[in-house]
Amino acid sequence: MEVLGRDDELRSLEAFLDGEASGLAILALEGEAGIGKSTLWLAAVETARERGTRVLSARPTELESPVAYAGLADVLGDIQDDVLPELPTPRRNALEAILLLADDPDGAVDFRTVAAAVQTAIEFAASQQPLLLAIDDVQWLDASSARALGFALRRLSAENVRLLVSRRAESGAPAPELEQALGDVTVQRLHVGPISLGALRAILQRTVGDAFSRPTLLRLHETSGGNPFFALELARALPVDADPTEPLPVPASLEALLRARLEGLPDATRRALLLVCAHGRLRLSQLDAEALEPAFADRLIEAVEGLVQFTHPLFASALYQGATPNARRQAHAQLADVAEDPVARARHRALAASGPDPDTAAALEAAAGIALGRGAPIVAAELADHAFRATPPDDLATRHRRALAAASAHSAAGDGIRARTFALDLVAGAASGRERAESLALLAQLEPLPRTILLLEEALEEAHNHPELQASLHRQLAVSGRVVYGPDWAEPHAQAALALANRLDDDALRGDERLLDQARSALAHVVVWSVETERARALLESHYRGSYERDERVAAGARWLLALVEWRAGRWALAEEHAKDAHEIGIQYAAPVPQDFFPLGLVVTHRGDLPRARSLARRGRE
């Protein structure tokens, strides 16, 4: 079976299975419910069988825990026909009784005889081939089976026996019966913690099937605490058009479990906890410590370096979702009054509002700009969304501007679905002229390439009186058209973008280099992929010199293309220098993307450094 995102744990399991057999070896997989212990346990069982190890297993459930010897019957069920004839009569009779094979199943059974029979059975099985005893959810193993197995395992003479268990690790819970029965036998422990964001994405893609946007994935990962079972349940309950400004809905499959932990809290405790939910990083000194005592006592929250945190994020989601809208607004209003950071203050004002408000909308728009400047596009997108909603419906021009900003912010944050929803609404409601051109250009960024070009051409017709918008549209047509129709089609658009940008830089937009940089970059792209080496080099070196002191990322983009130009020219040492600098700058500014590794990998391949090329290619693929 394929296990995603658990490479370290799988290596530990393989090391356990392959280790030298010196007495009984025990490994316990430990973690919270739903974290993936059973998945790893199953993978280990499958691996052991593939390697020729005999596996005796049991998967007890909570409902079976009161049934005496239920687990032992599962463990010995596969070998009973081989083992029973080899046992002395008293031991055979005892095993037949607990396995419900005896003529008189209600006859008296001596525990020590059963335990001795279990020891003999295990040693007999281990004498034929390596043996793995595997028990999933060992906390539900019935006490009779646990004590008999503990008695037998402490006295084993066989060398090639391993015991693998998975157990739910809960603070304050007693050790499972089997672990207590083993006494002072050494138990190796492997903590199974949260999965990574990338692993969660892969799991959701294979199980739920929907392609979740990065902001939604981040929310699922954060709310589930990296617990794959919780994340799957949350994802299955998530509507397609989920509002990114609202908390994730807690599905019924988890709601009862969470409600049981939250029921009975005093009203004062709930109000204090709601502030913790709404803020996320409150210190204990900022809260009513006395009101929080019941939540601390019930292990719902903990203080980590002075900050009050829920022991699992789902408790916060359930409590916040279960509060009345008025209670939530009051909590956010209280936090808005004390927040010092303008971004946090604006967000709390938005969540405290009950309807459109121009002042709140303006504060949110400004806060979105601050968040974007801080390199937090997901926060900026949420704030821009709030700003649009808080704008009065009769202020059409402002609503249009803020809708454009919200769509762009969602696109930058990786939520194409939300961005496209805004863009479609804008196109449907825009009159002719600049507003329609801007709306079409926005939608074009979110559509497949052939459709993109049609929308950009329509936008260009609408933008005839707005040269700065025309320059941007020509640039986008050059970049998109090069891929669809080739460089000969694209170059006139690139030249037009550059001419307009130069004119604007001289006249209306003096000092604004952004549009000029974009136009130069568009023309350079066309020329590079036209394989016009000398022309491309001249353009790119000029572009690099012009942007080096102003925008490091723009300069890095020029060097990315220069690496390809010099590679084609056979100047591979220079190509590697360009590629290396572009690579290092690219990954400093954002999470790595595949193209960060391409030119450098290409150049070092041709220079013969295959181990390094292989490493770069592997990282790019990942």
Tab-separated table of all heavy atoms in Angstrom, residues 52-105:
chain	number	residue	atom	x	y	z
A	52	GLY	N	8.562	-12.418	4.007
A	52	GLY	CA	8.564	-13.794	4.476
A	52	GLY	C	8.356	-13.963	5.958
A	52	GLY	O	8.577	-15.054	6.499
A	53	THR	N	7.940	-12.919	6.642
A	53	THR	CA	7.656	-13.010	8.072
A	53	THR	C	6.214	-13.464	8.280
A	53	THR	O	5.311	-13.014	7.579
A	53	THR	CB	7.859	-11.639	8.750
A	53	THR	OG1	9.225	-11.252	8.610
A	53	THR	CG2	7.494	-11.684	10.222
A	54	ARG	N	6.026	-14.350	9.229
A	54	ARG	CA	4.665	-14.766	9.570
A	54	ARG	C	4.051	-13.710	10.478
A	54	ARG	O	4.680	-13.260	11.441
A	54	ARG	CB	4.676	-16.110	10.281
A	54	ARG	CG	3.266	-16.675	10.485
A	54	ARG	CD	3.307	-18.118	10.879
A	54	ARG	NE	2.058	-18.792	10.566
A	54	ARG	CZ	1.888	-20.106	10.615
A	54	ARG	NH1	2.906	-20.884	10.959
A	54	ARG	NH2	0.735	-20.649	10.307
A	55	VAL	N	2.827	-13.315	10.169
A	55	VAL	CA	2.160	-12.259	10.925
A	55	VAL	C	0.933	-12.823	11.624
A	55	VAL	O	0.062	-13.424	10.979
A	55	VAL	CB	1.752	-11.084	10.011
A	55	VAL	CG1	1.026	-10.010	10.825
A	55	VAL	CG2	2.970	-10.487	9.314
A	56	LEU	N	0.876	-12.621	12.930
A	56	LEU	CA	-0.312	-12.939	13.715
A	56	LEU	C	-0.875	-11.609	14.199
A	56	LEU	O	-0.186	-10.862	14.901
A	56	LEU	CB	0.035	-13.838	14.904
A	56	LEU	CG	0.758	-15.149	14.579
A	56	LEU	CD1	1.027	-15.942	15.859
A	56	LEU	CD2	-0.048	-15.987	13.603
A	57	SER	N	-2.096	-11.311	13.837
A	57	SER	CA	-2.593	-9.958	14.073
A	57	SER	C	-3.977	-9.949	14.703
A	57	SER	O	-4.734	-10.927	14.626
A	57	SER	CB	-2.632	-9.175	12.756
A	57	SER	OG	-3.541	-9.745	11.854
A	58	ALA	N	-4.283	-8.805	15.281
A	58	ALA	CA	-5.619	-8.550	15.839
A	58	ALA	C	-5.887	-7.055	15.720
A	58	ALA	O	-4.977	-6.237	15.861
A	58	ALA	CB	-5.701	-8.988	17.300
A	59	ARG	N	-7.167	-6.731	15.470
A	59	ARG	CA	-7.580	-5.325	15.388
A	59	ARG	C	-8.817	-5.149	16.272
A	59	ARG	O	-9.949	-5.015	15.777
A	59	ARG	CB	-7.863	-4.934	13.946
A	59	ARG	CG	-6.712	-5.229	12.993
A	59	ARG	CD	-6.921	-4.581	11.636
A	59	ARG	NE	-6.790	-3.128	11.725
A	59	ARG	CZ	-6.986	-2.295	10.704
A	59	ARG	NH1	-7.352	-2.775	9.522
A	59	ARG	NH2	-6.843	-0.990	10.865
A	60	PRO	N	-8.631	-5.146	17.583
A	60	PRO	CA	-9.785	-5.046	18.490
A	60	PRO	C	-10.480	-3.702	18.363
A	60	PRO	O	-9.891	-2.709	17.945
A	60	PRO	CB	-9.152	-5.214	19.870
A	60	PRO	CG	-7.731	-4.787	19.686
A	60	PRO	CD	-7.355	-5.191	18.305
A	61	THR	N	-11.748	-3.673	18.739
A	61	THR	CA	-12.526	-2.440	18.761
A	61	THR	C	-13.027	-2.188	20.177
A	61	THR	O	-12.998	-3.070	21.045
A	61	THR	CB	-13.734	-2.533	17.815
A	61	THR	OG1	-14.647	-3.528	18.325
A	61	THR	CG2	-13.306	-2.911	16.410
A	62	GLU	N	-13.513	-0.984	20.403
A	62	GLU	CA	-13.983	-0.624	21.737
A	62	GLU	C	-15.139	-1.510	22.179
A	62	GLU	O	-15.233	-1.895	23.348
A	62	GLU	CB	-14.397	0.846	21.750
A	62	GLU	CG	-14.776	1.374	23.116
A	62	GLU	CD	-15.065	2.861	23.113
A	62	GLU	OE1	-15.100	3.455	22.011
A	62	GLU	OE2	-15.259	3.421	24.196
A	63	LEU	N	-16.010	-1.879	21.241
A	63	LEU	CA	-17.167	-2.704	21.589
A	63	LEU	C	-16.767	-4.111	22.005
A	63	LEU	O	-17.483	-4.785	22.745
A	63	LEU	CB	-18.135	-2.773	20.401
A	63	LEU	CG	-18.854	-1.463	20.049
A	63	LEU	CD1	-19.694	-1.640	18.798
A	63	LEU	CD2	-19.720	-1.003	21.218
A	64	GLU	N	-15.587	-4.584	21.509
A	64	GLU	CA	-15.143	-5.947	21.832
A	64	GLU	C	-14.343	-6.019	23.121
A	64	GLU	O	-14.077	-7.109	23.629
A	64	GLU	CB	-14.265	-6.486	20.694
A	64	GLU	CG	-14.993	-6.648	19.373
A	64	GLU	CD	-14.042	-6.964	18.238
A	64	GLU	OE1	-12.813	-6.784	18.415
A	64	GLU	OE2	-14.521	-7.375	17.177
A	65	SER	N	-13.946	-4.861	23.670
A	65	SER	CA	-13.029	-4.882	24.809
A	65	SER	C	-13.564	-5.624	26.040
A	65	SER	O	-12.763	-6.159	26.805
A	65	SER	CB	-12.618	-3.452	25.183
A	65	SER	OG	-13.740	-2.661	25.490
A	66	PRO	N	-14.895	-5.692	26.264
A	66	PRO	CA	-15.354	-6.473	27.424
A	66	PRO	C	-15.368	-7.987	27.181
A	66	PRO	O	-15.585	-8.759	28.123
A	66	PRO	CB	-16.788	-5.962	27.647
A	66	PRO	CG	-16.913	-4.718	26.829
A	66	PRO	CD	-16.000	-4.903	25.683
A	67	VAL	N	-15.164	-8.449	25.948
A	67	VAL	CA	-15.283	-9.881	25.624
A	67	VAL	C	-13.969	-10.578	25.929
A	67	VAL	O	-12.941	-10.315	25.284
A	67	VAL	CB	-15.657	-10.079	24.146
A	67	VAL	CG1	-15.805	-11.561	23.827
A	67	VAL	CG2	-16.937	-9.314	23.818
A	68	ALA	N	-13.983	-11.497	26.868
A	68	ALA	CA	-12.760	-12.169	27.295
A	68	ALA	C	-12.142	-12.969	26.153
A	68	ALA	O	-12.843	-13.707	25.439
A	68	ALA	CB	-13.054	-13.086	28.474
A	69	TYR	N	-10.833	-12.805	25.975
A	69	TYR	CA	-10.012	-13.545	25.011
A	69	TYR	C	-10.408	-13.315	23.550
A	69	TYR	O	-9.997	-14.065	22.666
A	69	TYR	CB	-10.034	-15.050	25.316
A	69	TYR	CG	-9.408	-15.395	26.648
A	69	TYR	CD1	-10.160	-15.945	27.680
A	69	TYR	CD2	-8.057	-15.147	26.876
A	69	TYR	CE1	-9.588	-16.246	28.911
A	69	TYR	CE2	-7.480	-15.446	28.103
A	69	TYR	CZ	-8.248	-15.989	29.106
A	69	TYR	OH	-7.672	-16.286	30.325
A	70	ALA	N	-11.191	-12.251	23.277
A	70	ALA	CA	-11.556	-11.974	21.887
A	70	ALA	C	-10.312	-11.670	21.054
A	70	ALA	O	-10.157	-12.148	19.925
A	70	ALA	CB	-12.531	-10.794	21.828
A	71	GLY	N	-9.397	-10.849	21.607
A	71	GLY	CA	-8.184	-10.502	20.866
A	71	GLY	C	-7.276	-11.697	20.665
A	71	GLY	O	-6.686	-11.873	19.589
A	72	LEU	N	-7.148	-12.537	21.683
A	72	LEU	CA	-6.287	-13.711	21.587
A	72	LEU	C	-6.796	-14.685	20.532
A	72	LEU	O	-6.013	-15.319	19.813
A	72	LEU	CB	-6.208	-14.394	22.957
A	72	LEU	CG	-5.040	-15.345	23.184
A	72	LEU	CD1	-3.720	-14.645	22.927
A	72	LEU	CD2	-5.084	-15.892	24.602
A	73	ALA	N	-8.107	-14.795	20.416
A	73	ALA	CA	-8.681	-15.650	19.377
A	73	ALA	C	-8.283	-15.169	17.990
A	73	ALA	O	-7.999	-15.970	17.094
A	73	ALA	CB	-10.199	-15.692	19.516
A	74	ASP	N	-8.244	-13.849	17.808
A	74	ASP	CA	-7.810	-13.314	16.512
A	74	ASP	C	-6.336	-13.591	16.267
A	74	ASP	O	-5.925	-13.976	15.163
A	74	ASP	CB	-8.060	-11.802	16.453
A	74	ASP	CG	-9.536	-11.461	16.382
A	74	ASP	OD1	-10.323	-12.335	15.956
A	74	ASP	OD2	-9.908	-10.331	16.750
A	75	VAL	N	-5.506	-13.370	17.290
A	75	VAL	CA	-4.058	-13.546	17.134
A	75	VAL	C	-3.719	-14.992	16.781
A	75	VAL	O	-2.888	-15.254	15.882
A	75	VAL	CB	-3.324	-13.132	18.429
A	75	VAL	CG1	-1.863	-13.559	18.391
A	75	VAL	CG2	-3.438	-11.626	18.634
A	76	LEU	N	-4.340	-15.943	17.442
A	76	LEU	CA	-3.988	-17.351	17.254
A	76	LEU	C	-4.831	-18.049	16.200
A	76	LEU	O	-4.583	-19.219	15.888
A	76	LEU	CB	-4.118	-18.100	18.579
A	76	LEU	CG	-3.246	-17.588	19.733
A	76	LEU	CD1	-3.483	-18.426	20.985
A	76	LEU	CD2	-1.772	-17.615	19.352
A	77	GLY	N	-5.811	-17.338	15.652
A	77	GLY	CA	-6.729	-17.998	14.730
A	77	GLY	C	-6.046	-18.623	13.529
A	77	GLY	O	-6.422	-19.731	13.085
A	78	ASP	N	-5.007	-18.006	12.988
A	78	ASP	CA	-4.362	-18.503	11.770
A	78	ASP	C	-3.459	-19.707	12.014
A	78	ASP	O	-3.092	-20.408	11.071
A	78	ASP	CB	-3.518	-17.383	11.127
A	78	ASP	CG	-4.384	-16.309	10.489
A	78	ASP	OD1	-5.584	-16.581	10.271
A	78	ASP	OD2	-3.867	-15.209	10.227
A	79	ILE	N	-3.069	-19.944	13.274
A	79	ILE	CA	-2.139	-21.052	13.524
A	79	ILE	C	-2.755	-22.145	14.388
A	79	ILE	O	-2.071	-23.108	14.744
A	79	ILE	CB	-0.847	-20.543	14.194
A	79	ILE	CG1	-1.146	-19.867	15.546
A	79	ILE	CG2	-0.080	-19.604	13.271
A	79	ILE	CD1	0.104	-19.571	16.364
A	80	GLN	N	-4.021	-22.006	14.738
A	80	GLN	CA	-4.599	-22.963	15.676
A	80	GLN	C	-4.540	-24.388	15.151
A	80	GLN	O	-4.256	-25.338	15.907
A	80	GLN	CB	-6.044	-22.586	16.013
A	80	GLN	CG	-7.003	-22.619	14.842
A	80	GLN	CD	-8.393	-22.105	15.208
A	80	GLN	OE1	-8.521	-21.204	16.021
A	80	GLN	NE2	-9.415	-22.672	14.605
A	81	ASP	N	-4.775	-24.589	13.863
A	81	ASP	CA	-4.758	-25.951	13.318
A	81	ASP	C	-3.363	-26.553	13.367
A	81	ASP	O	-3.208	-27.779	13.533
A	81	ASP	CB	-5.276	-25.959	11.881
A	81	ASP	CG	-6.753	-25.612	11.805
A	81	ASP	OD1	-7.451	-25.767	12.831
A	81	ASP	OD2	-7.205	-25.173	10.726
A	82	ASP	N	-2.321	-25.712	13.225
A	82	ASP	CA	-0.948	-26.215	13.280
A	82	ASP	C	-0.478	-26.439	14.705
A	82	ASP	O	0.261	-27.393	14.993
A	82	ASP	CB	0.005	-25.211	12.601
A	82	ASP	CG	-0.309	-25.018	11.132
A	82	ASP	OD1	-0.839	-25.961	10.511
A	82	ASP	OD2	-0.033	-23.921	10.612
A	83	VAL	N	-0.901	-25.573	15.609
A	83	VAL	CA	-0.345	-25.571	16.952
A	83	VAL	C	-1.049	-26.560	17.879
A	83	VAL	O	-0.393	-27.255	18.667
A	83	VAL	CB	-0.420	-24.152	17.554
A	83	VAL	CG1	-0.078	-24.161	19.035
A	83	VAL	CG2	0.523	-23.229	16.801
A	84	LEU	N	-2.358	-26.637	17.822
A	84	LEU	CA	-3.107	-27.430	18.805
A	84	LEU	C	-2.619	-28.879	18.916
A	84	LEU	O	-2.459	-29.394	20.038
A	84	LEU	CB	-4.611	-27.390	18.477
A	84	LEU	CG	-5.315	-26.068	18.812
A	84	LEU	CD1	-6.743	-26.064	18.298
A	84	LEU	CD2	-5.296	-25.805	20.320
A	85	PRO	N	-2.346	-29.565	17.802
A	85	PRO	CA	-1.866	-30.960	17.949
A	85	PRO	C	-0.513	-31.068	18.648
A	85	PRO	O	-0.162	-32.141	19.173
A	85	PRO	CB	-1.761	-31.440	16.495
A	85	PRO	CG	-2.679	-30.552	15.722
A	85	PRO	CD	-2.575	-29.225	16.396
A	86	GLU	N	0.275	-29.993	18.681
A	86	GLU	CA	1.605	-30.032	19.278
A	86	GLU	C	1.592	-29.744	20.777
A	86	GLU	O	2.616	-29.899	21.440
A	86	GLU	CB	2.505	-28.988	18.580
A	86	GLU	CG	2.592	-29.119	17.077
A	86	GLU	CD	3.241	-30.429	16.667
A	86	GLU	OE1	4.144	-30.898	17.398
A	86	GLU	OE2	2.843	-30.994	15.630
A	87	LEU	N	0.453	-29.305	21.316
A	87	LEU	CA	0.402	-28.883	22.711
A	87	LEU	C	0.104	-30.051	23.641
A	87	LEU	O	-0.662	-30.983	23.282
A	87	LEU	CB	-0.680	-27.820	22.897
A	87	LEU	CG	-0.464	-26.466	22.213
A	87	LEU	CD1	-1.687	-25.581	22.438
A	87	LEU	CD2	0.782	-25.779	22.737
A	88	PRO	N	0.670	-29.999	24.854
A	88	PRO	CA	0.234	-30.964	25.887
A	88	PRO	C	-1.267	-30.813	26.119
A	88	PRO	O	-1.833	-29.729	25.935
A	88	PRO	CB	1.038	-30.530	27.118
A	88	PRO	CG	2.196	-29.750	26.574
A	88	PRO	CD	1.706	-29.087	25.330
A	89	THR	N	-1.897	-31.897	26.549
A	89	THR	CA	-3.355	-31.924	26.652
A	89	THR	C	-3.938	-30.774	27.469
A	89	THR	O	-4.892	-30.117	27.029
A	89	THR	CB	-3.824	-33.265	27.239
A	89	THR	OG1	-3.366	-34.323	26.377
A	89	THR	CG2	-5.343	-33.319	27.337
A	90	PRO	N	-3.417	-30.458	28.658
A	90	PRO	CA	-4.025	-29.355	29.430
A	90	PRO	C	-3.991	-28.027	28.661
A	90	PRO	O	-4.958	-27.262	28.683
A	90	PRO	CB	-3.182	-29.291	30.700
A	90	PRO	CG	-2.582	-30.643	30.818
A	90	PRO	CD	-2.333	-31.098	29.417
A	91	ARG	N	-2.860	-27.771	28.007
A	91	ARG	CA	-2.749	-26.506	27.273
A	91	ARG	C	-3.657	-26.508	26.043
A	91	ARG	O	-4.274	-25.489	25.711
A	91	ARG	CB	-1.301	-26.250	26.856
A	91	ARG	CG	-0.356	-26.142	28.035
A	91	ARG	CD	1.060	-25.786	27.594
A	91	ARG	NE	1.991	-25.909	28.709
A	91	ARG	CZ	3.278	-25.602	28.648
A	91	ARG	NH1	3.784	-25.142	27.505
A	91	ARG	NH2	4.052	-25.746	29.703
A	92	ARG	N	-3.733	-27.671	25.381
A	92	ARG	CA	-4.622	-27.749	24.210
A	92	ARG	C	-6.065	-27.530	24.628
A	92	ARG	O	-6.812	-26.791	23.974
A	92	ARG	CB	-4.467	-29.113	23.531
A	92	ARG	CG	-5.306	-29.217	22.245
A	92	ARG	CD	-5.079	-30.522	21.502
A	92	ARG	NE	-5.566	-31.668	22.249
A	92	ARG	CZ	-4.797	-32.603	22.801
A	92	ARG	NH1	-3.477	-32.525	22.699
A	92	ARG	NH2	-5.317	-33.629	23.465
A	93	ASN	N	-6.452	-28.151	25.733
A	93	ASN	CA	-7.830	-27.989	26.200
A	93	ASN	C	-8.130	-26.529	26.549
A	93	ASN	O	-9.217	-26.017	26.265
A	93	ASN	CB	-8.076	-28.871	27.430
A	93	ASN	CG	-8.084	-30.342	27.079
A	93	ASN	OD1	-8.240	-30.709	25.897
A	93	ASN	ND2	-7.905	-31.202	28.077
A	94	ALA	N	-7.157	-25.871	27.183
A	94	ALA	CA	-7.361	-24.468	27.566
A	94	ALA	C	-7.526	-23.582	26.329
A	94	ALA	O	-8.433	-22.733	26.273
A	94	ALA	CB	-6.191	-23.986	28.413
A	95	LEU	N	-6.663	-23.787	25.315
A	95	LEU	CA	-6.779	-22.977	24.096
A	95	LEU	C	-8.072	-23.287	23.352
A	95	LEU	O	-8.729	-22.386	22.826
A	95	LEU	CB	-5.581	-23.217	23.174
A	95	LEU	CG	-4.323	-22.405	23.453
A	95	LEU	CD1	-3.338	-22.565	22.308
A	95	LEU	CD2	-4.625	-20.937	23.649
A	96	GLU	N	-8.448	-24.567	23.287
A	96	GLU	CA	-9.702	-24.915	22.613
A	96	GLU	C	-10.887	-24.253	23.293
A	96	GLU	O	-11.841	-23.820	22.627
A	96	GLU	CB	-9.876	-26.436	22.595
A	96	GLU	CG	-8.962	-27.141	21.614
A	96	GLU	CD	-9.123	-28.653	21.656
A	96	GLU	OE1	-9.683	-29.152	22.671
A	96	GLU	OE2	-8.702	-29.326	20.707
A	97	ALA	N	-10.824	-24.108	24.603
A	97	ALA	CA	-11.932	-23.486	25.333
A	97	ALA	C	-12.029	-21.999	24.988
A	97	ALA	O	-13.120	-21.488	24.683
A	97	ALA	CB	-11.740	-23.680	26.837
A	98	ILE	N	-10.898	-21.274	25.008
A	98	ILE	CA	-10.985	-19.834	24.768
A	98	ILE	C	-11.205	-19.526	23.277
A	98	ILE	O	-11.724	-18.461	22.922
A	98	ILE	CB	-9.732	-19.095	25.277
A	98	ILE	CG1	-8.496	-19.498	24.476
A	98	ILE	CG2	-9.532	-19.330	26.763
A	98	ILE	CD1	-7.305	-18.602	24.753
A	99	LEU	N	-10.820	-20.495	22.401
A	99	LEU	CA	-11.063	-20.300	20.973
A	99	LEU	C	-12.438	-20.813	20.555
A	99	LEU	O	-12.767	-20.814	19.361
A	99	LEU	CB	-9.981	-21.006	20.148
A	99	LEU	CG	-8.554	-20.462	20.315
A	99	LEU	CD1	-7.555	-21.350	19.574
A	99	LEU	CD2	-8.464	-19.033	19.826
A	100	LEU	N	-13.222	-21.259	21.548
A	100	LEU	CA	-14.581	-21.762	21.328
A	100	LEU	C	-14.589	-22.981	20.424
A	100	LEU	O	-15.483	-23.193	19.600
A	100	LEU	CB	-15.478	-20.665	20.740
A	100	LEU	CG	-15.559	-19.362	21.548
A	100	LEU	CD1	-16.521	-18.379	20.885
A	100	LEU	CD2	-15.989	-19.644	22.980
A	101	LEU	N	-13.558	-23.844	20.608
A	101	LEU	CA	-13.472	-25.079	19.836
A	101	LEU	C	-13.821	-26.294	20.680
A	101	LEU	O	-13.967	-27.403	20.151
A	101	LEU	CB	-12.046	-25.266	19.275
A	101	LEU	CG	-11.543	-24.157	18.329
A	101	LEU	CD1	-10.081	-24.399	17.989
A	101	LEU	CD2	-12.384	-24.110	17.067
A	102	ALA	N	-13.944	-26.124	21.996
A	102	ALA	CA	-14.158	-27.251	22.901
A	102	ALA	C	-15.610	-27.686	22.888
A	102	ALA	O	-16.521	-26.914	22.578
A	102	ALA	CB	-13.731	-26.870	24.311
A	103	ASP	N	-15.826	-28.969	23.236
A	103	ASP	CA	-17.201	-29.486	23.339
A	103	ASP	C	-17.949	-28.820	24.490
A	103	ASP	O	-19.168	-28.662	24.444
A	103	ASP	CB	-17.164	-31.010	23.560
A	103	ASP	CG	-16.610	-31.740	22.348
A	103	ASP	OD1	-16.722	-31.186	21.228
A	103	ASP	OD2	-16.040	-32.834	22.518
A	104	ASP	N	-17.189	-28.418	25.522
A	104	ASP	CA	-17.808	-27.782	26.692
A	104	ASP	C	-17.213	-26.383	26.848
A	104	ASP	O	-16.300	-26.158	27.648
A	104	ASP	CB	-17.547	-28.622	27.951
A	104	ASP	CG	-18.194	-27.991	29.189
A	104	ASP	OD1	-19.079	-27.111	29.006
A	104	ASP	OD2	-17.809	-28.364	30.307
A	105	PRO	N	-17.708	-25.417	26.063
A	105	PRO	CA	-17.093	-24.086	26.092
A	105	PRO	C	-17.251	-23.376	27.426
A	105	PRO	O	-16.546	-22.420	27.701
A	105	PRO	CB	-17.841	-23.336	24.983
A	105	PRO	CG	-19.138	-24.050	24.840
A	105	PRO	CD	-18.853	-25.486	25.146
